Amino acid sequence: MKALDELTFDNRFARLGDGFSTHVLPEPLDEPRLVVASTAAMALLDLDPAVAETPVFAELFGGHKLWAEAEPRAMVYSGHQFGGYTPQLGDGRGLLLGEVYNQAGEHWDLHLKGAGMTPYSRMGDGRAVLRSSIREFLASEALHALGIPSSRALCVIGSSTPVWREKQERGAMVLRLAPSHIRFGHFEYFYYTKQPEQQAQLAEHVLNLHFPECREQPEPYLAMFREVVERNAEMIAKWQAYGFCHGVMNTDNMSILGITFDFGPFAFLDDFDAHFICNHSDHEGRYSFSNQVPIGQWNLSALAQALTPFISVDALKEALGLYLPLYQAHYLDLMRRRLGLTTAEDDDQQLVERLLKLMQNSGVDYTLFFRRLGDESAALAVTRLRDDFVDLAGFDAWAELYKARVARDGDDSETQRRERMHAVNPLYILRNYLAQNAIAAAESGDYSEVRRLHEVLTKPFEEQAGMEQYAQRPPDWGKHLEISCSS
Ligand code: AMP
Ligand code: MG
């Protein structure tokens, strides 16, 4: 266990030089205070959990203090936003403080979001508000606990600094952790600004640090791109299987590592709705729930375009062709497991699709349906769940198919079935209204609810005593909360 001043830095991205990022110091928040910290994320840095409560912790992650070895840099990148190319983006309100390596030899980027203005702030103020910082913190840690690759969050620091959005709010910072903060948009930036040397330097950096096994392949860059395709297919399959809607899948928000990244107006589905749009500024539904799948491929194509100096177009196209079949395979595998199946049959895809259509038409809660399906034998469970459906004949027909399918899958006891299903079907997810309750309390200075919710979400598959209120469908007020992009 380490104290705060014992972290070891090795700032490899900063060493790429000024063409890649700009040195900027964090702008401190007034009266910084700990809102919430993640013990699990602290463990990634070997940090003693007790240090979160010390004043120096809030000072470090509230922009007042800095380690001597930290080299805070704002990174430059660009990207396709809602389908159109934006030539220059970059860390407009976040800073890469440095790279820390832990005792296991892993490197973690420390990235402080809400740290003030940078050369890439454009019209923004460089700040993040408490509300969005709490949402990012909870989502990162909740996705990780669900087994969905994500950047992590160490802590949220609140303050008395006024920040203007639609109304006056308070500034906050969230300390984000990831093995790298390099996005698709980094590659696009050097490609479109015609800087081949820097682009090659970036590609070498990513290959050596994050895809070393691809070095052994005959075409290392192609192997790396293929790996990015595979990781994205798997990540998006998990989003779809668990009902996670990212909301702003611009290429500047896509991590080269295939982890969920840059949280904005994201949401988990309450009722199943394939057409759900969580970002109320997304008028055309470009990033609706079901569109996430083709958009994943669109984004990979944008990355492929930026890699044309290194890889032949034919090879890139072939690698892109891997995306959909891989996505399908991962998705179906997960959905089979969510249904309690251990074998594969050709008609399983149809079984899943029919169920989702029925759920869509009846507004069935996506998370609780699967959890309850595993509570009892298939026959009993479908009898109890029947009442949630409007199209009873349709559900009965599906239930017959399902029971027959479960029977063919093989014998197991109700206990085995429950254990197997509960291990993949969460009881607790980060519903928007739960986040909203925690945010409302935090905005009035009470952080206990954020902390409790965070705790519950770290064990989403485990029934926790006295936490029934976190495993409910949303109340009417909490069903269709509008989450804006202004964060
Ligand atoms: P996002 O939609 O959060 O992914 O941000 C898109 C771009 O806008 C990125 O370059 C951000 O750094 C920048 N940005 C977002 N909010 C602010 C802000 N309050 N101040 C400065 N830049 C911002
Ligand atoms: Mg972003």
Side-chain angles (χ1 to χ4, degrees):
M1 288 288 183
K2 287 182 177 174
L4 277 165
D5 57 1
E6 290 172 334
L7 295 183
T8 319
F9 284 82
D10 181 12
N11 306 317
R12 302 172 300 179
F13 188 87
R15 287 202 292 275
L16 288 173
D18 288 340
F20 296 81
S21 62
T22 309
H23 174 79
V24 182
L25 287 173
E27 239 174 273
L29 290 171
D30 302 329
E31 304 180 86
R33 65 208 68 164
L34 177 71
V35 175
V36 61
S38 162
T39 315
M42 289 176 78
L44 300 173
L45 306 181
D46 307 317
L47 279 176
D48 178 352
V51 304
E53 303 294 338
T54 60
V56 66
F57 188 86
E59 286 166 5
L60 277 166
F61 300 117
H64 285 258
K65 278 198 172 147
L66 211 53
W67 296 265
E69 305 86 354
E71 285 181 69
R73 314 278 304 190
M75 306 165 96
V76 61
Y77 51 82
S78 62
H80 280 84
Q81 298 186 305
F82 289 89
Y85 186 64
T86 306
Q88 190 174 309
L89 294 160
D91 288 335
R93 53 161 166 179
L95 295 174
L96 178 61
L97 294 181
E99 297 171 55
V100 166
Y101 62 94
N102 65 17
Q103 280 159 356
E106 299 164 339
H107 282 241
W108 287 96
D109 276 6
L110 265 51
H111 196 272
L112 192 59
K113 195 162 171 180
M117 303 248 271
T118 78
Y120 315 110
S121 297
R122 300 184 294 166
M123 308 301 280
D125 57 6
R127 289 302 190 196
V129 292
L130 182 62
R131 155 177 66 80
S132 68
S133 306
I134 288 175
R135 281 172 50 85
E136 171 143 6
F137 175 90
L138 291 173
S140 319
E141 294 303 282
L143 283 170
H144 172 73
L146 286 170
I148 304 178
S150 174
S151 59
R152 304 292 303 274
L154 188 86
C155 64
V156 175
I157 302 299
S159 78
S160 58
T161 304
V163 174
W164 285 93
R165 294 293 180 257
E166 279 96 11
K167 57 182 176 33
Q168 187 183 305
E169 301 188 43
R170 298 291 170 196
M173 293 187 191
V174 58
L175 194 283
R176 178 164 70 181
L177 297 175
S180 169
H181 278 66
I182 297 175
R183 308 146 189 263
F184 290 11
H186 276 88
F187 286 92
E188 293 181 281
Y189 174 75
F190 293 108
Y191 173 74
Y192 288 105
T193 53
K194 301 194 169 51
Q195 302 186 65
E197 277 166 34
Q198 281 84 348
Q199 208 196 3
Q201 218 184 325
L202 178 73
E204 275 299 287
H205 176 89
V206 173
L207 183 67
N208 290 335
L209 271 51
H210 305 294
F211 298 89
E213 64 290 347
C214 296
R215 266 264 166 255
E216 316 304 321
Q217 302 291 319
E219 287 191 65
Y221 289 141
L222 175 60
M224 176 167 86
F225 179 65
R226 249 194 228 121
E227 177 76 23
V228 177
V229 171
E230 286 172 19
R231 290 191 194 185
N232 270 270
E234 185 169 355
M235 171 186 78
I236 294 175
K238 289 182 173 174
W239 289 0
Q240 302 310 114
Y242 284 108
F244 177 77
C245 202
H246 180 284
V248 201
M249 288 175 72
N250 295 335
T251 56
D252 53 298
N253 292 338
M254 302 303 291
S255 155
I256 199 73
L257 301 182
I259 59 178
T260 315
F261 201 62
D262 259 21
F263 296 86
F266 71 84
F268 277 90
L269 298 182
D270 290 306
D271 296 357
F272 180 79
D273 179 5
H275 314 299
F276 182 67
I277 302 167
C278 61
N279 179 355
H280 89 249
S281 325
D282 182 7
H283 305 296
E284 282 159 18
R286 179 180 172 86
Y287 300 137
S288 72
F289 180 64
S290 57
N291 269 359
Q292 296 190 124
V293 182
I295 287 292
Q297 181 154 17
W298 195 95
N299 287 341
L300 286 162
S301 310
L303 175 63
Q305 180 66 45
L307 294 176
T308 49
F310 309 114
I311 308 168
S312 78
V313 171
D314 284 347
L316 284 166
K317 279 191 180 155
E318 202 183 313
L320 277 172
L322 297 171
Y323 172 81
L324 264 183
L326 274 172
Y327 163 79
Q328 284 291 355
H330 281 298
Y331 177 73
L332 193 54
D333 175 59
L334 260 170
M335 294 309 285
R336 279 196 184 104
R337 295 200 292 156
R338 297 206 73 180
L339 287 170
L341 303 173
T342 59
T343 58
E345 282 187 13
D346 289 345
D347 290 344
D348 290 345
Q349 176 80 27
Q350 259 176 302
L351 190 71
V352 171
E353 281 170 12
R354 273 181 78 158
L355 172 64
L356 294 183
K357 203 164 277 172
L358 287 161
M359 290 174 96
Q360 169 100 32
N361 293 341
S362 299
V364 173
D365 190 88
Y366 188 55
T367 301
L368 292 178
F369 176 86
F370 286 100
R371 184 72 181 191
R372 292 193 186 133
L373 190 66
D375 274 341
E376 292 157 309
S377 70
L380 263 179
V382 291
T383 314
R384 283 192 221 268
L385 285 162
R386 187 173 186 265
D387 286 349
D388 292 349
F389 290 81
V390 179
D391 175 5
L392 289 178
F395 182 73
D396 289 344
W398 181 84
E400 288 311 312
L401 288 175
Y402 176 64
K403 284 188 287 185
R405 177 68 184 86
V406 169
R408 288 197 301 280
D409 196 61
D411 275 342
D412 64 353
S413 72
E414 211 176 296
T415 322
Q416 279 172 326
R417 174 181 154 88
R418 186 185 305 116
E419 274 178 15
R420 191 175 65 238
M421 289 183 70
H422 283 7
V424 289
N425 292 325
L427 181 56
Y428 311 104
I429 55 155
L430 179 56
R431 296 176 187 272
N432 259 345
Y433 91 95
L434 293 174
Q436 196 47 48
N437 280 340
I439 288 165
E443 284 178 338
S444 62
D446 174 4
Y447 305 138
S448 60
E449 186 56 24
V450 182
R451 294 177 186 192
R452 192 158 47 237
L453 181 57
H454 164 59
E455 275 302 313
V456 170
L457 294 171
T458 57
K459 289 180 257 140
F461 301 106
E462 232 175 82
E463 190 162 349
Q464 298 166 47
M467 296 299 167
E468 297 78 12
Q469 73 271 32
Y470 297 102
Q472 308 290 330
R473 301 188 70 166
D476 282 342
W477 69 263
K479 273 188 183 154
H480 299 288
L481 295 172
E482 292 209 327
I483 307 296
S484 80
C485 239
S486 85
S487 56

